[in-house]
Amino acid sequence: MVSHKGPSDEELFQREADSVCVERWKRRRRRKEEEGQSWEERRQENWENCLELNLSYQDLGDAFQQENFLRILRRLIRVQKLQLVNNSLSNLNSVCLPRCRVLNLHQNHLVSLRQLPKLPAVEQLCLSENAISSLGGLDVLSNSPLRSLNLTLNPVTFTQDYRPCVFSCLPNLETLDGVPMLPEDHLHSGLHFPQITRMCNIL
């Protein structure tokens, strides 16, 4: 009868050590795979979950960088306060920010209000130091709860009846360019105001 001798203690110890090494190797590999996820992807995931975000002073020197930046903005469906100061942005109408209540677009390159993103929940909007020359497109904000709008240092602020036209178009607006609504900001009747000056041309 042939007797089968089991593995020695030394062999058992070696097998256990090998098993531990394999497990450690698997853990290291798994960690490297997780770390292999690009920093851009992880950063974008973090951005998507932010409620308050500052993406100001980005160096968007070419079309590729601008388009990539727009892709990031399109994913910000949860952000409520967003700073986009001095980013050379010229057209955001492909972007929707459904929960954004405060948006700062100070010192960009917008020339029309039609280039704004979709802002159904916006309450405070800063557009100072852009190049907006008319109130065309202002009506897209009329259904929003917008309470404060800043258009200072835009050419449109020098147009006739600028303040009355803005307040008449935005029923919820309380403050324009840092100044609360004044009695003269109401469009007057024909008895006090010639008809030609009562008309607001939204081009």
Side-chain angles (χ1 to χ4, degrees):
M1 185 176 187
V2 180
S3 62
H4 296 278
K5 186 178 180 182
S8 66
D9 291 342
E10 184 177 349
E11 289 174 329
L12 288 173
F13 178 80
Q14 186 61 45
R15 289 180 186 177
E16 186 175 344
D18 291 343
S19 177
V20 170
C21 287
V22 169
E23 186 60 34
R24 286 178 180 171
W25 177 81
K26 287 181 178 179
R27 282 201 300 267
R28 280 199 300 271
R29 182 175 180 181
R30 191 160 51 244
R31 189 161 53 245
K32 285 183 178 179
E33 288 175 352
E34 292 172 354
E35 291 173 352
Q37 182 186 30
S38 72
W39 180 80
E40 181 70 24
E41 289 174 342
R42 293 199 305 275
R43 182 174 64 169
Q44 186 163 293
E45 287 176 1
N46 290 334
W47 284 347
E48 290 175 18
N49 294 316
C50 281
L51 300 181
E52 188 167 346
L53 189 58
N54 190 341
L55 293 175
S56 301
Y57 304 101
Q58 302 294 314
D59 184 13
L60 306 175
D62 57 52
F64 172 78
Q65 290 174 317
Q66 293 175 16
E67 183 55 39
N68 189 52
F69 192 70
L70 289 176
R71 274 199 299 271
I72 292 170
L73 293 181
R74 292 186 194 108
R75 300 176 73 95
L76 300 180
I77 59 175
R78 296 179 181 84
V79 70
Q80 296 181 10
K81 295 183 180 182
L82 182 58
Q83 303 283 336
L84 297 174
V85 174
N86 199 358
N87 281 338
S88 301
L89 298 170
S90 60
N91 196 343
L92 296 169
N93 64 11
S94 65
V95 175
C96 180
L97 301 169
R99 298 186 186 180
C100 187
R101 295 185 295 105
V102 179
L103 177 60
N104 189 349
L105 282 164
H106 171 71
Q107 242 178 20
N108 279 279
H109 296 166
L110 300 174
V111 300
S112 168
L113 292 167
R114 294 187 177 94
Q115 295 172 331
L116 287 173
K118 297 170 183 64
L119 298 164
V122 69
E123 298 176 10
Q124 298 178 39
L125 177 59
C126 180
L127 298 169
S128 55
E129 291 193 44
N130 278 266
I132 299 168
S133 58
S134 82
L135 295 176
L138 185 64
D139 56 325
V140 301
L141 296 170
S142 61
N143 293 323
S144 71
L146 186 64
R147 295 183 292 104
S148 175
L149 174 64
N150 192 336
L151 284 164
T152 54
L153 298 179
N154 280 275
V156 68
T157 60
F158 299 103
T159 58
Q160 187 178 24
D161 302 330
Y162 158 68
R163 286 182 63 88
C165 284
V166 172
F167 278 107
S168 68
C169 190
L170 302 176
N172 298 312
L173 195 65
E174 300 172 1
T175 302
L176 177 60
D177 301 338
V179 180
M181 184 185 231
L182 303 171
E184 55 265 35
D185 291 333
H186 296 278
L187 283 176
H188 299 279
S189 67
L191 295 175
H192 304 94
F193 224 39
Q195 184 172 355
I196 189 170
T197 59
R198 284 193 297 114
M199 296 178 62
C200 293
N201 295 316
I202 310 297
L203 302 176

